[in-house]
Amino acid sequence: MVDNFTLTENEYKKLSIKFRAVASRLLNSQFQEANGNLERFLSFIESSPTISIFIEENNKTKYDMESIVRNRGYNDKFQLPINDSEEISFIYQLLKHVSDKKIDYYNISLGYNHGKKIQGSVDSFNNQVVRPLVNHIVTYLGEMAIDMGLDKKSGGTQFNIGDFRGQLNHAEGQATISANQIFTETQVADLKDVSQKYIKALAEDQLIPEEQKAEVAEFLEAAIDEAESDKPKKAIVKTTAEKLQAVQNVATTGSAVYTLGSQILTLLQGLMA
């Protein structure tokens, strides 16, 4: 495993957030944009020492992708290996092959369609082939957080969602608010207060998948960090809003999750203006 101590806590959080964002962009690609999003995904992995070393450690089995892709039947799906390391190797090498040979993303997704729509093929391919690789990396990052002791850190307000533990520093007066910030101290406090209630309601909601709960909680924590920053990164805030909206689409109208989510979305608009 990569030496976790080469990353600070903030560096780890930024890496985790950025990876989830670029992975989400690929997984939710429109077919016209899929090749470009694949390039972004692979570029991020290769430019991140922590993730690229993880890939290298698992990428031991070599596959003849030229032959595998060429000999695949028109309606055949790729047979993913059972072993985790071999599965990581196979998927990563397949995606690299698509990128290096400039294969149209739709062509590689043939066999995954359930109808005549191109988008359906791309969506199914991403869900059945790309998502397992993303999940392996997310799991690795989660294990890294445990090894770094981030799951046992004290201080702040703890929110438990299954095995996920997010932290928000909810104490008054602990953050220094700059005069140049978009959010005032009162607005930041409001965002933290509503977020605290939202996370608790989210943990109790039975309709929202556990993975989605953990993801939105992590992005929300990052958005609050940006709200306290002199120069908030709009990309992180925008992705957080998208994750929240995805939960809104599942949540029951009028529920605590839905009501509090709407309040947070309104507050985040100030950071995206």
Side-chain angles (χ1 to χ4, degrees), residues 17 28 100 107 114 126 163 204 223:
I17 288 293
N28 295 291
D100 293 343
N107 288 334
H114 299 291
N126 279 341
D163 293 331
E204 298 170 358

Side-chain angles (χ1 to χ4, degrees), residues 173-269:
Q174 291 194 13
T176 300
I177 306 299
S178 167
N180 296 323
Q181 285 180 290
I182 295 178
F183 264 29
T184 65
E185 185 172 0
T186 299
Q187 288 174 311
V188 172
D190 287 345
L191 179 59
K192 287 182 176 181
D193 184 57
V194 177
S195 296
Q196 180 185 30
K197 296 174 182 176
Y198 177 79
I199 294 299
K200 289 181 178 179
L202 192 65
E204 298 170 358
D205 196 295
Q206 300 299 312
L207 292 178
I208 314 300
E210 293 301 315
E211 181 181 351
Q212 192 171 15
K213 291 179 181 180
E215 187 176 47
V216 74
E218 187 171 355
F219 272 102
L220 185 54
E221 182 179 355
I224 290 173
D225 288 341
E226 294 306 317
E228 294 179 325
S229 170
D230 289 343
K231 296 180 179 180
K233 294 181 176 64
K234 292 185 178 181
I236 291 178
V237 178
K238 181 175 182 292
T239 303
T240 302
E242 291 172 350
K243 298 298 181 185
L244 281 164
Q245 187 57 58
V247 172
Q248 294 293 87
N249 294 339
V250 178
T252 303
T253 302
S255 66
V257 168
Y258 188 90
T259 301
L260 294 167
S262 297
Q263 293 177 24
I264 295 173
L265 285 170
T266 299
L267 288 167
L268 291 180
Q269 289 299 318

